[in-house]
Each structure stands twice: as C-alpha cells, then as structure tokens.
Amino acid sequence: FGVLRGSLRLLGYRRTCRLLLRSSPAPMRDELDPRAFRWFCAVGRRREGSKLSYGSCLEMGLLRWWILRWFGVRSELQTGIRR
C-alpha cells in the first residue's frame, strides 16, 4: 500500500489510475476462475480482519481493481461520498 499511497499523494487519483491501467494487461473476461476467486477473497479477508491499518478504502479498492485486471477480469471502481 505504501507505493499506492505515495502515488495518490504525489500524482493524484486520475494519474494514479492511468498508471495502474498502463501497468496491467487488458481484461479479457467477465469472471474469475474458481481457484483465483478463492485466493482473491482470502486476501481481502486477511486484510480486513487485521488490526493493522493497511490503507484507506480508496487504496484498498484501487488495489483490488488492479489485481482483478491482472487476472484478466473486467472490473470497474466506483467512488463517491455518502452524506
């Protein structure tokens, strides 16, 4: 998360997203194979269940979006503010 956090602070959200897009393969399918899906969920549970702070929701969302792209899965990150 350190690199992602630094990129967000230094480059901003849009430029960080463009950098992540350029550094990952283009998605080719709409779903993960079952083994990859189980691994992805396990990583998410370990991060969320930890008492250590690994990053903000934006950082975690960007990381998950980027990992899904590496698996070749089409994904989309939606951000917003709840009032």
Side-chain angles (χ1 to χ4, degrees):
F1 283 107
V3 173
L4 192 55
R5 180 177 293 141
S7 178
L8 283 169
R9 288 185 179 165
L10 186 64
L11 302 175
Y13 174 75
R14 289 179 196 253
R15 289 174 67 190
T16 297
C17 285
R18 281 193 297 251
L19 179 68
L20 291 173
L21 276 171
R22 277 187 248 140
S23 67
S24 61
M28 300 173 146
R29 57 182 182 259
D30 292 325
E31 58 187 50
L32 282 171
D33 65 70
R35 262 186 35 212
F37 182 74
R38 282 192 296 274
W39 175 84
F40 186 73
C41 290
V43 168
R45 281 194 301 275
R46 269 186 254 134
R47 294 281 187 210
E48 290 166 1
S50 174
K51 295 192 187 292
L52 298 174
S53 173
Y54 283 98
S56 68
C57 292
L58 177 60
E59 292 165 357
M60 289 175 33
L62 279 171
L63 182 63
R64 288 177 178 162
W65 168 74
W66 187 67
I67 289 172
L68 284 170
R69 284 187 60 87
W70 267 102
F71 278 112
V73 178
R74 285 185 195 95
S75 59
E76 170 178 316
L77 181 65
Q78 295 182 356
T79 60
I81 298 172
R82 193 177 353 172
R83 294 182 191 239

